[in-house]
Amino acid sequence: MKFRVVIEQDPETGSYAVWCPELPGCTSCGDTEEQAFANIKEAIELYLEPSDIPDQNSRFVEITV
């Protein structure tokens, strides 16, 4: 799978912030671009990992197109 990520350098600290617009809340950072990209890759993998924890507020909706 391929995901678009956005990366920005903080002009004050020099570190990088990175996020995936298609996955709300999926963000990360790093001291270098390479570290930021490695961290967002791990964040995306964790974001997509199934959860075994039941959430009483969750519901499933099926959409037919």
Side-chain angles (χ1 to χ4, degrees), residues 13-40:
T13 66
S15 63
Y16 293 84
V18 61
W19 63 93
C20 181
E22 288 76 26
L23 302 174
C26 188
T27 64
S28 194
C29 62
D31 292 331
T32 65
E33 282 189 39
E34 294 79 16
Q35 185 182 41
F37 281 120
N39 291 344
I40 195 64

